[in-house]
Amino acid sequence: GAVVSQHPSWVICKSGTSVKIECRSLDFQATTMFWYRQFPKQSLMLMATSNEGSKATYEQGVEKDKFLINHASLTLSTLTVTSAHPEDSSFYICSARVSRESGYNEQFFGPGTRLTVL
Amino acid sequence: GQNIDQPTEMTATEGAIVQINCTYQTSGFNGLFWYQQHAGEAPTFLSYNVLDGLEEKGRFSSFLSRSKGYSYLLLKELQMKDSASYLCAVTDSNYQLIWGAGTKLIIKP
């Protein structure tokens, strides 16, 4: 099956610093990738949809200037949390969409990145 | 609005059968997914239903009724490793995934 990797797996940073998270599709090309955030004991919350070669589409309530998304190639999307604060501590998960010949779209998830802001 | 409901938590015994229900109200429908998520890990794909009926895959089966806006995930011969959260997600008319809050399944020996 399709494999999606994320780097780093976990990161601890000081408040006010920026953190970049990479999401790669290893054995397929993904024109669309998604970024999710998950707080403890809650479901996945979609943050933004990343389309290769164009600007990301952000969900309501997600600050585009704080969560910078770049999808420069068909296998790589990056999420940069700028000026991180403790409330940004969360589990960030990316996924890549694959369109099947049957017509349905399936998402493959990366392993997630645990961000802790001190 | 768009809404997906599933029980918050369920408990079952090792070796038994458990059914996790999911009801949805979404703007359009392009399929329903079930994912398994162990604590601290990303979700993993279990099943996909777009037509009415039952899809069986080993110990796991998933059922869909589009007219009722209803699905269930059936887990047979439960094992301790099945302890996890089970997430129901529906693809709407824009092919966006709408997530349920997940059902935490606790398996007891």
Side-chain angles (χ1 to χ4, degrees), chain B residues 66-81:
Chain B
R66 288 171 296 171
S67 63
K68 296 181 179 179
Y70 167 71
S71 172
Y72 67 72
L73 179 69
L74 191 71
L75 293 77
K76 303 176 184 176
E77 301 170 17
L78 286 170
Q79 302 174 9
M80 297 304 293
K81 67 178 182 180

Side-chain angles (χ1 to χ4, degrees), chain B residues 1-81:
Chain B
Q2 312 214 83
N3 192 50
I4 296 182
D5 288 315
Q6 49 182 132
T8 303
E9 186 174 297
M10 299 181 70
T11 303
T13 305
E14 189 177 15
I17 299 173
V18 71
Q19 177 175 310
I20 303 174
N21 295 324
C22 170
T23 58
Y24 62 90
Q25 293 127 10
T26 56
S27 55
F29 178 83
N30 279 301
L32 184 145
F33 293 87
W34 282 97
Y35 286 87
Q36 180 191 60
Q37 187 179 26
H38 286 99
E41 298 181 11
T44 55
F45 171 79
L46 289 179
S47 68
Y48 171 77
N49 294 69
V50 67
L51 299 176
D52 292 348
L54 186 68
E55 295 279 343
E56 297 186 77
K57 190 184 295 184
R59 294 189 298 116
F60 293 2
S61 302
S62 57
F63 171 83
L64 173 68
S65 169
R66 288 171 296 171
S67 63
K68 296 181 179 179
Y70 167 71
S71 172
Y72 67 72
L73 179 69
L74 191 71
L75 293 77
K76 303 176 184 176
E77 301 170 17
L78 286 170
Q79 302 174 9
M80 297 304 293
K81 67 178 182 180

Side-chain angles (χ1 to χ4, degrees), chain A residues 9-88:
Chain A
S9 299
W10 57 271
V11 57
I12 301 173
C13 69
K14 293 182 178 180
S15 184
T17 60
S18 294
V19 175
K20 179 185 283 189
I21 303 170
E22 293 185 350
C23 177
R24 293 181 185 273
S25 55
L26 297 185
D27 51 2
F28 66 101
Q29 294 182 329
T31 55
T32 303
M33 291 185 173
F34 302 91
W35 286 96
Y36 295 87
R37 180 168 51 183
Q38 186 177 35
F39 293 105
K41 299 184 180 181
Q42 295 186 23
S43 188
L44 297 171
M45 296 295 295
L46 179 65
M47 297 177 67
T49 302
S50 171
N51 294 299
E52 187 267 336
S54 64
K55 292 183 179 180
T57 303
Y58 290 81
E59 294 301 299
Q60 192 173 7
V62 178
E63 301 173 56
K64 60 181 67 176
D65 294 331
K66 181 172 181 61
F67 298 98
L68 302 179
I69 292 173
N70 184 279
H71 194 159
S73 78
L74 288 171
T75 59
L76 173 64
S77 176
T78 61
L79 169 68
T80 301
V81 183
T82 62
S83 186
H85 291 285
E87 57 266 29
D88 298 323

